[in-house]
């Protein structure tokens, strides 16, 4: 199991305890200023420190120190349930695929939003596995990919302000990635893409069934997309 951390003292212990079944637990820390390191050292086999530059580089660095055949990636605010643990043990004992996606329902405003969830590749054979992308990094593996039935508990957002700040941070990463590729912003990006993100989250995925939290999540997600392209304009103007 590989867990990236940055000032996660209030979350990391429960995450580590939830993966105590693993043969090898690696924490890669971005020089936390709280008690994250001391907590991690009590549970993890390896605790690494690396200056953060982007999410893919951080996780690829941890992968270089892994030795197990299979690797599960989780964040400090995620928890592996006992049913998910049993399923993971079962599929790696008799694997049909080289990687497995896990469903992550968002936890927002004190409830799990099951209609606004994501399937994310998190369990892979180590050989050939790697990440690409600066933010919303993508995990790649050699071979076909299946999906696990049980869900991952994910305490996604610590509050409304935390969620908005997270979107702002990610928007800068995404804008910088596009800027480096010399991409430009159009009215299509500023209007259609945020509108579609809202439609996808609130209507297509059924976020309206989640009540006010579902509406709030869809609106902030749409804002995050809009913000990404506004920031790209600022970068091209030499403003940040």
């Amino acid at each position: 199991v590989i867990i990236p951390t940055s000032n996660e003292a209030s979350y990391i212990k429960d995450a580590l305890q939830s993966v105590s079944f693993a043969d090898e637990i690696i924490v890669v820390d971005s020089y936390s200023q709280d008690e994250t390191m001391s907590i991690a050292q009590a549970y993890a086999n390896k605790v690494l420190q690396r200056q953060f530059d982007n999410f893919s580089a951080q996780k690829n660095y941890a992968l270089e120190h892994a030795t197990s055949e299979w690797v599960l990636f989780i964040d400090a605010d995620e928890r592996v349930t006992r049913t998910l643990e049993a399923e993971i043990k079962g599929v790696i004992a008799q694997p049909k695929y080289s990687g497995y996606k896990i469903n992550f329902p968002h936890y927002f405003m004190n409830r799990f939003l099951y209609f606004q969830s994501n399937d994310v590749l998190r369990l892979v054979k180590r050989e050939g596995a790697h990440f690409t992308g600066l933010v919303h990094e993508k995990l790649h593996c050699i071979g076909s990919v299946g999906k696990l039935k049980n869900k991952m508990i994910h305490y996604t957002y610590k509050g409304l302000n935390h969620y908005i700040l997270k979107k702002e941070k990610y928007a800068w990463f995404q804008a910088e990635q596009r800027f480096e590729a010399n991409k430009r912003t159009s009215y299509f990006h500023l209007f259609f893409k945020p509108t579609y993100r809202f439609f996808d989250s609130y209507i297509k995925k059924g976020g309206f069934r989640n009540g006010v939290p579902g509406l709030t999540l869809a609106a902030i997600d749409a804002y995050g997309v809009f913000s990404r392209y506004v920031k790209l304009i600022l970068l091209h103007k030499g403003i940040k």
Side-chain angles (χ1 to χ4, degrees):
V1 173
I2 290 177
I3 308 176
T5 58
S6 177
N7 296 317
E8 297 287 359
S10 60
Y11 280 82
I12 186 62
K13 182 177 178 180
D14 288 344
L16 289 163
Q17 289 179 334
S18 78
V19 295
S20 60
F21 61 90
D23 299 312
E24 181 180 48
I25 300 174
I26 300 174
V27 171
V28 54
D29 183 71
S30 304
Y31 291 96
S32 293
Q33 301 300 308
D34 59 10
E35 300 301 315
T36 298
M37 281 291 291
S38 59
I39 297 171
Q41 287 167 349
Y43 292 90
N45 303 93
K46 299 176 185 177
V47 180
L48 314 172
Q49 282 194 304
R50 181 181 184 275
Q51 191 65 46
F52 182 86
D53 48 6
N54 64 70
F55 294 97
S56 289
Q58 203 75 352
K59 293 178 180 179
N60 285 333
Y61 175 75
L63 258 175
E64 294 173 3
H65 291 80
T67 60
S68 298
E69 181 184 4
W70 287 85
V71 180
L72 171 69
F73 292 89
I74 76 166
D75 291 336
D77 58 0
E78 297 168 356
R79 312 286 181 262
V80 176
T81 65
R82 292 294 167 255
T83 52
L84 179 57
E85 172 190 334
E87 187 177 11
I88 289 171
K89 289 178 178 178
V91 298
I92 66 176
Q94 294 182 313
K96 295 181 180 179
Y97 302 96
S98 298
Y100 291 88
K101 291 183 178 181
I102 302 175
N103 184 258
F104 287 75
H106 293 291
Y107 184 82
F108 188 57
M109 296 175 70
N110 294 323
R111 71 171 74 175
F112 285 103
L113 309 184
Y114 291 104
F115 298 103
Q116 287 162 298
S117 62
N118 297 311
D119 295 324
V120 186
L121 181 61
R122 288 293 191 87
L123 177 66
V124 295
K125 284 189 174 181
R126 178 176 56 85
E127 187 175 354
H130 66 282
F131 284 88
T132 59
L134 298 180
V135 66
H136 294 308
E137 64 282 5
K138 186 175 182 180
L139 176 58
H140 305 268
C141 69
I142 298 174
S144 56
V145 174
K147 180 184 173 182
L148 300 184
K149 296 178 181 179
N150 291 283
K151 301 179 185 298
M152 178 82 75
I153 294 177
H154 185 195
Y155 295 105
T156 327
Y157 313 113
K158 301 177 179 70
L160 184 61
N161 186 56
H162 171 261
Y163 186 24
I164 294 173
L165 289 175
K166 188 174 182 179
K167 284 293 179 182
E168 284 289 320
K169 180 181 178 181
Y170 282 12
W172 275 119
F173 274 118
Q174 292 166 327
E176 288 167 354
Q177 193 170 19
R178 285 166 170 76
F179 178 74
E180 290 174 2
N182 199 32
K183 293 184 178 180
R184 297 279 177 172
T185 299
S186 66
Y187 285 108
F188 170 82
H189 297 116
L190 291 171
F191 177 76
F192 179 79
K193 288 214 167 187
T195 302
Y196 181 79
R197 177 60 62 87
F198 180 87
F199 171 81
D200 181 66
S201 178
Y202 193 65
I203 304 298
K204 191 176 177 181
K205 289 185 176 179
F208 62 90
R209 300 183 187 182
N210 290 319
V212 172
L215 176 62
T216 305
L217 187 74
I220 298 175
D221 280 348
Y223 163 76
V225 175
F226 177 78
S227 179
R228 174 196 313 166
Y229 293 106
V230 170
K231 288 172 170 54
L232 180 57
I233 293 174
L234 294 176
L235 289 173
H236 279 293
K237 291 181 177 294
I239 306 170
K240 182 175 180 179

